[in-house]
Amino acid sequence: GLQSAVMVPVTIVDLNDNPTEFTQGEYRGDIVEHSSTGTPIFSVETADADTVVSGVTLSVRAGGMYAAAETLFGFASNDLVFVGNPADLDRDTLASYSFTIVVTDEDGQEDTAPATVTLLDINDNAPVFSQQEYTVNVPEDQALGVFFNSISASDADAGENAHVVYSLVSGNDAGKFDIDAETGQLVLVDALDYEMVQAYGLVVQAEDHGTPEAQSTQVSVTVNVEDVNDNDPAFVKTSLSRSVFE
């Protein structure tokens, strides 16, 4: 029989049957604690095998101890930014946040990726001494060069911002004492004499290595000198005389 052929164009209409996906398996970023609102942390890229997707939504999903991440972080375009109150971005409270970032297309299909934001420390804490004041009793025959008490302070910051050094800032005019800058150990460097001075009032300073500006705290240290039996009895008068009648 007779046959005829004709070319018929066929257009395949794309459907949104693929979710938009992140181009990385995970994301990490750093931010300085107490940064201003709007500070960017990292950027993301997404891809979609479909051609009909007109828009996607990026969001943060968190829970448990990191639940606050949902109010601290958000997206501005493709950038994860800090969106919370700067006072709430405190490394001393929580040093890092782990959460999930989500990309959702217009049909509700989504892809997720793990994300971690680490808070970088600023020197916002001064050293704190273990006691409000110190009182130390030292015998007057204490050996020279041997530590007799330790002063300690801690700093809630991190790294060099928490590195504390000690110094004597007052009360040591006679040069009787020294302090180890790293350990806070007090050392006697000149002999004591209870008969001359019974107590010394020192002021010790603890200062961190923070930048751009160090922070410091001072504490009072009272050193009581204890008497030891280092003097022989002595007559008040060198000679006595008395007459005796027979």
Side-chain angles (χ1 to χ4, degrees), residues 89-236:
L89 196 65
D90 187 3
R91 194 209 65 86
D92 305 326
T93 301
L94 197 60
S96 66
Y97 290 85
S98 296
F99 50 90
T100 300
I101 55 175
V102 184
V103 57
T104 308
D105 68 18
E106 57 194 359
D107 288 334
Q109 299 180 101
E110 67 178 35
D111 184 38
T112 62
T116 301
V117 174
T118 300
L119 275 58
L120 303 179
D121 186 49
I122 61 173
N123 192 31
D124 57 343
N125 292 284
V128 177
F129 286 99
S130 61
Q131 299 177 208
Q132 292 186 341
E133 60 181 13
Y134 294 80
T135 300
V136 184
N137 298 321
V138 181
E140 61 177 325
D141 61 354
Q142 167 72 27
L144 302 184
V146 179
F147 89 93
F148 59 86
N149 200 77
S150 292
I151 308 300
S152 63
S154 59
D155 194 303
D157 293 310
E160 284 300 294
N161 290 340
H163 182 184
V164 176
V165 293
Y166 303 90
S167 61
L168 290 171
V169 294
S170 70
N172 193 36
D173 296 339
K176 298 288 187 181
F177 308 98
D178 196 7
I179 191 168
D180 188 294
E182 294 295 329
T183 66
Q185 292 180 336
L186 284 169
V187 177
L188 186 67
V189 295
D190 191 20
L192 301 173
D193 188 345
Y194 176 84
E195 285 68 39
M196 297 295 293
V197 180
Q198 289 78 51
Y200 294 86
L202 307 177
V203 176
V204 172
Q205 177 172 282
E207 183 175 60
D208 62 32
H209 279 191
T211 56
E213 183 176 349
Q215 296 207 48
S216 63
T217 309
Q218 297 180 353
V219 70
S220 296
V221 180
T222 300
V223 179
N224 294 318
V225 181
E226 295 180 328
D227 188 29
V228 298
N229 188 21
D230 58 347
N231 292 288
D232 295 327
F235 287 107
V236 177

Side-chain angles (χ1 to χ4, degrees), residues 23-40:
T23 58
Q24 290 181 215
E26 65 175 337
Y27 293 85
R28 294 179 178 274
D30 300 330
I31 184 172
V32 176
E33 62 173 330
H34 306 310
S35 289
S36 58
T37 302
T39 299

